Amino acid sequence: MNERYLKDKLLGKIRYPQNNTSKKILYIKLICSPIERGSIEELSWTEPFPKDYFLIKAKDIPGKNTIDFGDGSFPLLADEEVYYPYQPIALLVGPAPQVLKELEETVKLKINKKEILPEFNISEQEQCSYQREIRTSSSDGLENKSEIIWVEDYFEMEGQQHSSFPPAHSRCQNEGMVFNIHCITQWPWIIKKNVQQLLKLPKKMVKIRCYPCENHQESKIFHPVQTASFCALASFISKKNCLFQINPEDNYFYAPPKGKVGIYLKAACNHRGELLHLKLDFSLEGGAYPLWSKERVDRMCFFTSGVYHCRNLEIHGKMQRTTSMPTGLFPDGDLSSLLTSIELFSNIMAEECKMTPLEWKTVNLIKRGNGWFTGALLARNPSLDELIKAVVEPSDYQRKYSAYQYQNHLIKKDSSKKPQKSKGIALSLGCIANNFLTQQRDQSPATISMTLDQQGLSIELPAPPGHGQLYKIWSSMASEALSIDENNIRFDIYKSEENNPEGPSCFSRNVTIIHHQIKQCINQIAKKRFREPLPLFETRRFRRSRNWDDDNFKGHPYQHLSWGAAVVELELNHEDNSINIQQIYIVLESGKILLPSVASSVVNQAIGQSLQWIFKSTENYNPMGENTLPFNLQFLETSKEPKALDGLVQNILPAAIMQAIAQASCKNQHFLPVTPGNWERKK
Amino acid sequence: MTIELFLNGEHKKLTAQADLALSQVLQLECRGVNPGCGKGYCGCCTVLLNGKLTYSCQIPFFSVKNQSIMTVEGIQTSNIFSDILKGMKRAKLDICDYCAPARTLSFYSLLKRADRPNNQEIQEVLSSIHCSCTHIPLLNQAIFYSLEEKYTRLHG
Ligand code: FES
Ligand code: FES
């Protein structure tokens, strides 16, 4: 890493919305619903508020009281009814946070309880916000064949939650009724659109100043919109500058949690282990206001068979409304739960087919030329064989797997000889793609424009890139191709969002798409240079692939898929039920790695995130204590283009750890998080 | 109210509301204080108060009269800071920029007081910032390298 850049970071030169606050700023405190569901009967206060203190209710909103994402929306402040615990109802605004706390106690809030929605349950049909059914073939012909092996199972995964900072604090500077909103976001356009609607303002009166959000797993789409809107509203009404700082004591979460996922799988294999038919029935928990239901359900449908080849599918997916906070969107959608379940299920299938997991996987791996059930062909070879080789050989997977199986066999034969410690090893595979599936206008495009004039080159981006170092890479790329000094290359993020709807077109911080667009623009400008007069202008607009029809689920939506494999070996101590991870091998094929140190740091974080997800209560597994976690990471660069990396580890590692626990404890794992109850031996 | 204190070695007079938290005042004064939760939970507002790691959001502004406060800006010219910088670079640590100043200060306090800290001391320093978005094992590695850098600087 560039030393100066690192030094700047250490010295706190990277700014955030809450920095640079003037002493005259007003703070915001949320008044939230103390109960889960009910109708608001009264919101009043007994004594008049001191000067400069305000209470802002839904009724005070000049425009539309909605935060709208194109695919799902919710009210900024609850008006008549509350639908989930801690739903924001009003804003208390004033210059001293301590006084706000005191004032909160004088506010009288009366809510009449109402019946809550049914708990999350895969068989719940009524509370569906979206569902999709796909059937490419039926299993009727297979039902009565004796040589067919049928396997079925149910998995339930609780959602992950980002515990990372920085929280999406926001600040709004009111400059003569032009609202300058400072926030950490990658989707400035969504914020702009919502604030405009909320305050009924023309475009030019709302300006978004994005702060870098590197290193923190992205996908915090809805929090910044909400916090920025709180600030803008408070600033509009008070006519002052306002700051909203997220505070865990207000029960306003740092990052939205991911909801539960229930997955039922039923498969038919022949005696060679080939997957002939797969039935997937799943349900996602969407919270009180399901967001991106279509995107999330469709994404899961697309990856129904994981990294295995199967065209005979019956899929039924849906999203369920519950009485909880709207669930957030993670880089992988909800793929991590699905792929983890499929990997766990593949082990069970292998066992039923009397094969080792490696044999079963090898038979069924998706290969180049295989078709997706959507009719598209897999154009590039995913090199899954190579990935498997790269983890299986150094970890001595095959030998160890058989040895541990034999150990289990002996225990089964004579249960009095149960050792105090037992080991397990497991292999898992996974993939990830970025891009949104939707073809909605607001959500898919990303535009880059470039101008070369006497002053140099200026590059306009739709959003800040995933990492500050990318500016360096892009400017050296441009400087080399156009022979201009790097100091004469400027990046601008704010202008482009003035005009264009730039949505969350893809995950992985737009690197995959933006990098490619920048390259194309540079090449074009290089061609035109010296032939045409200055200024030269080039622009590239990314749109959803034409080969994809999301209504009929036909074609191929993803330009690039990234693949990965992991082997995990661990030891269970049956005395104190603790887990000791002994080795982790991870190999990822995520295209060209632009920034190796950033890539490995993303993987590092993802390992931490996965461990937190798997062992929610850290009593039996302490990631802090495991600071010598023995892990080996390798990137296989088989493509020249950068591909998605965020979220890939979460799609692979949990399955490997859970399968290893399953082997060590002789108990198949079906639930996440994993608690000692899932592996404990009966006394 | 106005109080006098020593901020990064300089004698200063700061004026603010008495009941504000120190972090709220410092975030206006210097770059290296990035309060996160304001509740003593995240550790992002860490400063050195009389040489001790302290969450500045937990300290009322009025109580620091005549005390010495050090933020990351105060250590930037020190040798230990350059040891830390080299150590982090060697560990290929892509540190999170939000808590980076707080982490640096915590490393500094460790390196300053100990040449060979034991595991418990290291754990204490690592866990003083409660966020997992920078991978703990890598931070640990960075501490080791920084200690090595310090050793080489002192003993050649
Ligand atoms: S805020 Fe820095 S590691 Fe998370
Ligand atoms: S802001 Fe002080 S500990 Fe979080």
Side-chain angles (χ1 to χ4, degrees):
Chain A
M1 173 172 305
N2 177 330
E3 189 163 321
R4 220 183 95 204
Y5 183 68
L6 179 61
K7 193 169 170 187
D8 282 354
K9 273 189 174 193
L10 300 191
L11 293 175
K13 291 200 178 153
I14 313 249
R15 309 277 59 209
Y16 283 96
Q18 69 274 31
N19 304 132
N20 301 330
T21 49
S22 72
K23 290 177 188 168
K24 284 194 202 120
I25 201 125
L26 300 187
Y27 294 87
I28 302 173
K29 184 149 184 41
L30 289 183
I31 300 213
C32 296
S33 163
I35 64 165
E36 294 170 295
R37 168 99 176 87
S39 57
I40 304 172
E41 200 179 279
E42 192 186 346
L43 176 63
S44 61
W45 51 98
T46 39
E47 287 153 38
F49 280 173
K51 189 174 166 276
D52 282 344
Y53 286 85
F54 308 86
L55 185 98
I56 302 171
K57 296 180 287 184
K59 298 244 166 4
D60 303 324
I61 295 176
K64 229 167 125 193
N65 176 20
T66 322
I67 297 289
D68 185 3
F69 294 97
D71 186 355
S73 64
F74 56 83
L76 180 70
L77 296 174
D79 192 0
E80 281 159 6
E81 306 239 326
V82 288
Y83 289 91
Y84 64 90
Y86 309 119
Q87 183 169 1
I89 296 178
L91 307 179
L92 260 176
V93 184
Q98 280 74 6
V99 180
L100 290 178
K101 246 189 236 168
E102 287 158 23
L103 285 180
E104 191 191 3
E105 274 152 34
T106 69
V107 174
K108 220 169 127 196
L109 177 63
K110 204 172 154 208
I111 304 180
N112 291 335
K113 268 197 179 170
K114 277 191 155 184
E115 204 184 323
I116 60 167
L117 297 178
E119 294 257 310
F120 174 75
N121 179 355
I122 191 169
S123 44
E124 168 65 43
Q125 291 295 344
E126 272 174 25
Q127 295 298 332
C128 266
S129 63
Y130 174 78
Q131 56 182 320
R132 186 174 287 269
E133 263 191 85
I134 298 169
R135 185 184 259 242
T136 62
S137 81
S138 104
S139 58
D140 295 349
L142 299 170
E143 291 288 357
N144 303 324
K145 287 195 182 161
S146 58
E147 67 274 26
I148 300 294
I149 302 159
W150 285 95
V151 191
E152 62 182 320
D153 226 318
Y154 176 69
F155 302 88
E156 197 168 295
M157 318 258 149
E158 210 164 271
Q160 314 172 36
Q161 181 162 4
H162 283 324
S163 56
S164 61
F165 292 78
H169 300 320
S170 297
R171 172 164 56 100
C172 180
Q173 300 278 116
N174 185 335
E175 287 159 12
M177 284 322 243
V178 171
F179 296 87
N180 272 311
I181 298 171
H182 297 243
C183 54
I184 303 172
T185 184
Q186 289 211 288
W187 290 281
W189 190 80
I190 297 190
I191 297 188
K192 189 174 167 115
K193 183 183 86 174
N194 277 295
V195 170
Q196 263 179 258
Q197 284 177 359
L198 191 77
L199 305 180
K200 255 202 191 154
L201 290 175
K203 249 185 192 176
K204 56 177 188 298
M205 287 174 74
V206 181
K207 295 212 161 95
I208 312 292
R209 164 85 163 85
C210 308
Y211 284 71
C213 40
E214 61 191 59
N215 226 19
H216 316 285
Q217 283 144 322
E218 58 163 347
S219 79
K220 294 179 181 173
I221 300 185
F222 90 69
H223 263 49
V225 186
Q226 220 176 357
T227 60
S229 305
F230 289 149
C231 284
L233 176 63
S235 182
F236 183 87
I237 290 181
S238 65
K239 308 210 169 26
K240 301 253 169 63
N241 302 337
C242 294
L243 172 70
F244 179 77
Q245 300 213 47
I246 292 184
N247 179 339
E249 270 196 7
D250 291 340
N251 289 308
Y252 186 84
F253 299 97
Y254 281 101
K258 193 163 162 176
K260 278 188 189 157
V261 184
I263 293 168
Y264 166 79
L265 286 158
K266 183 174 179 184
C269 294
N270 62 17
H271 65 280
R272 290 190 301 277
E274 284 163 355
L275 187 56
L276 303 179
H277 185 88
L278 183 66
K279 183 173 175 199
L280 165 70
D281 198 343
F282 68 89
S283 183
L284 305 175
E285 183 182 12
Y289 299 95
L291 304 173
W292 300 285
S293 325
K294 184 168 184 290
E295 181 64 42
R296 287 164 63 185
V297 170
D298 283 358
R299 219 171 151 81
M300 297 263 284
C301 291
F302 190 85
F303 287 101
T304 295
S305 55
V307 297
Y308 307 109
H309 178 58
C310 182
R311 290 186 68 171
N312 302 326
L313 301 166
E314 279 179 69
I315 311 167
H316 180 213
K318 58 183 187 299
M319 184 172 274
Q320 188 194 331
R321 217 175 269 118
T322 54
T323 312
S324 59
M325 187 186 189
T327 51
L329 189 58
F330 277 51
D332 63 341
D334 299 81
L335 222 52
S336 48
S337 307
L338 176 69
L339 293 177
T340 304
S341 309
I342 290 178
E343 284 300 298
L344 295 173
F345 189 59
S346 77
N347 261 22
I348 300 170
M349 284 191 277
E351 207 179 302
E352 295 292 323
C353 298
K354 312 238 166 351
M355 297 167 96
T356 68
L358 180 60
E359 284 164 351
W360 190 93
K361 285 180 203 299
T362 319
V363 168
N364 288 295
L365 282 184
I366 190 161
K367 294 188 184 73
R368 179 179 176 179
N370 279 169
W372 291 102
F373 69 93
T374 58
L377 284 185
L378 196 63
R380 286 205 198 119
N381 201 350
S383 39
L384 282 164
D385 291 326
E386 268 177 72
L387 291 176
I388 292 181
K389 209 167 144 206
V391 282
V392 159
E393 281 180 6
S395 61
D396 198 6
Y397 168 80
Q398 272 161 301
R399 186 189 64 77
K400 285 184 174 168
Y401 177 82
S402 316
Y404 301 155
Q405 280 300 89
Y406 184 64
Q407 155 209 311
N408 288 344
H409 171 74
L410 291 183
I411 296 173
K412 269 184 207 153
K413 258 172 79 185
D414 182 358
S415 60
S416 64
K417 283 199 188 130
K418 281 183 183 166
Q420 188 201 335
K421 288 180 179 173
S422 57
K423 285 188 173 187
I425 190 165
L427 161 73
S428 78
L429 304 167
C431 60
I432 197 170
N434 49 19
N435 312 4
F436 266 38
L437 284 170
T438 177
Q439 282 171 319
Q440 259 191 4
R441 187 177 157 265
D442 293 7
Q443 309 219 351
S444 64
T447 315
I448 292 287
S449 44
M450 229 176 244
T451 318
L452 181 70
D453 54 21
Q454 262 87 5
Q455 275 89 49
L457 183 73
S458 92
I459 304 177
E460 273 186 32
L461 306 174
H467 202 279
Q469 289 245 67
L470 281 167
Y471 288 128
K472 182 94 193 64
I473 290 191
W474 292 333
S475 57
S476 60
M477 203 161 88
S479 140
E480 209 172 289
L482 303 172
S483 326
I484 41 177
D485 194 304
E486 277 189 40
N487 295 329
N488 296 335
I489 300 174
R490 302 181 308 277
F491 286 91
D492 205 334
I493 307 163
Y494 324 114
K495 270 195 228 155
S496 40
E497 48 86 24
E498 296 287 333
N499 314 314
N500 300 325
E502 302 288 353
S505 56
C506 60
F507 296 112
S508 242
R509 297 164 179 176
N510 292 326
V511 165
T512 34
I513 287 171
I514 290 179
H515 182 73
H516 187 63
Q517 287 174 314
I518 291 189
K519 229 158 102 183
Q520 285 181 331
C521 282
I522 294 176
N523 290 344
Q524 279 308 318
I525 289 199
K527 274 187 202 158
K528 284 192 209 164
R529 209 171 173 204
F530 307 120
R531 278 199 223 148
E532 291 173 28
L534 293 180
L536 296 174
F537 179 75
E538 249 328 300
T539 182
R540 282 283 175 283
R541 188 162 171 82
F542 168 81
R543 276 194 170 280
R544 255 293 37 75
S545 150
R546 291 229 171 81
N547 303 330
W548 174 242
D549 168 1
D550 71 338
D551 289 331
N552 302 312
F553 234 75
K554 289 272 168 286
H556 208 307
Y558 297 117
Q559 288 178 320
H560 306 293
L561 286 160
S562 311
W563 310 87
V567 164
V568 171
E569 185 183 4
L570 52 75
E571 185 180 67
L572 285 188
N573 184 338
H574 297 280
E575 285 285 283
D576 59 2
N577 277 324
S578 63
I579 287 183
N580 178 13
I581 295 186
Q582 299 191 316
Q583 55 166 343
I584 297 180
Y585 285 86
I586 298 183
V587 181
L588 305 174
E589 199 288 293
S590 55
K592 185 171 169 54
I593 301 293
L594 295 178
L595 299 162
S597 68
V598 175
S600 48
S601 145
V602 167
V603 173
N604 275 312
Q605 288 170 19
I607 292 176
Q609 174 80 21
S610 309
L611 292 174
Q612 267 188 23
W613 182 33
I614 304 171
F615 305 103
K616 202 168 189 177
S617 109
T618 45
E619 271 164 39
N620 293 80
Y621 183 82
N622 174 11
M624 279 297 222
E626 277 287 349
N627 51 32
T628 47
L629 197 64
F631 96 93
N632 299 281
L633 169 67
Q634 197 189 330
F635 290 106
L636 274 190
E637 286 190 36
T638 54
S639 134
K640 284 194 202 124
E641 296 300 329
K643 300 199 281 183
L645 180 60
D646 253 354
L648 184 53
V649 172
Q650 286 95 315
N651 290 359
I652 309 166
L653 192 62
I657 295 180
M658 285 172 78
Q659 289 176 70
I661 294 178
Q663 189 184 32
S665 63
C666 300
K667 278 184 181 174
N668 283 331
Q669 299 294 312
H670 296 95
F671 301 101
L672 249 178
V674 187
T675 53
N678 300 19
W679 72 75
E680 225 168 22
R681 274 186 190 155
K682 292 217 174 67
K683 294 263 155 55
Chain B
M1 79 185 284
T2 302
I3 61 168
E4 294 184 23
L5 47 77
F6 295 89
L7 181 59
N8 294 327
E10 266 179 48
H11 181 242
K12 277 212 161 184
K13 277 186 187 166
L14 295 185
T15 307
Q17 233 171 281
D19 55 353
L20 283 187
L22 179 60
S23 59
Q24 284 169 305
V25 183
L26 289 181
Q27 76 175 355
L28 305 177
E29 292 300 322
C30 32
R31 301 197 136 216
V33 184
N34 275 344
C37 62
K39 291 286 171 283
Y41 169 74
C42 64
C44 296
C45 62
T46 300
V47 295
L48 290 174
L49 179 62
N50 301 325
K52 257 189 84 187
L53 284 181
T54 309
Y55 295 157
S56 60
C57 65
Q58 295 301 293
I59 306 284
F61 172 59
F62 68 79
S63 71
V64 293
K65 194 171 166 197
N66 293 332
Q67 318 260 340
S68 135
I69 294 163
M70 185 84 94
T71 69
V72 75
E73 282 137 310
I75 61 164
Q76 59 177 314
T77 49
S78 70
N79 288 330
I80 294 187
F81 179 78
S82 51
D83 296 337
I84 296 173
L85 189 67
K86 284 185 200 148
M88 287 190 178
K89 215 179 144 198
R90 266 177 67 195
K92 298 213 174 80
L93 177 68
D94 177 37
I95 194 167
C96 140
D97 42 25
Y98 195 75
C99 60
R103 290 261 186 225
T104 314
L105 262 189
S106 69
F107 279 28
Y108 175 86
S109 79
L110 179 78
L111 262 75
K112 175 117 194 174
R113 67 168 188 262
D115 284 335
R116 288 165 189 264
N118 60 29
N119 201 25
Q120 200 188 335
E121 284 172 297
I122 296 180
Q123 287 307 309
E124 249 167 50
V125 160
L126 286 179
S127 56
S128 69
I129 288 142
H130 186 261
C131 177
S132 56
C133 54
T134 300
H135 195 49
I136 303 292
L138 269 189
L139 283 168
N140 200 42
Q141 190 78 45
I143 291 190
F144 281 120
Y145 285 145
S146 310
L147 285 164
E148 242 176 63
E149 291 291 337
K150 178 183 163 192
Y151 186 86
T152 338
R153 176 171 54 80
L154 294 177
H155 308 286

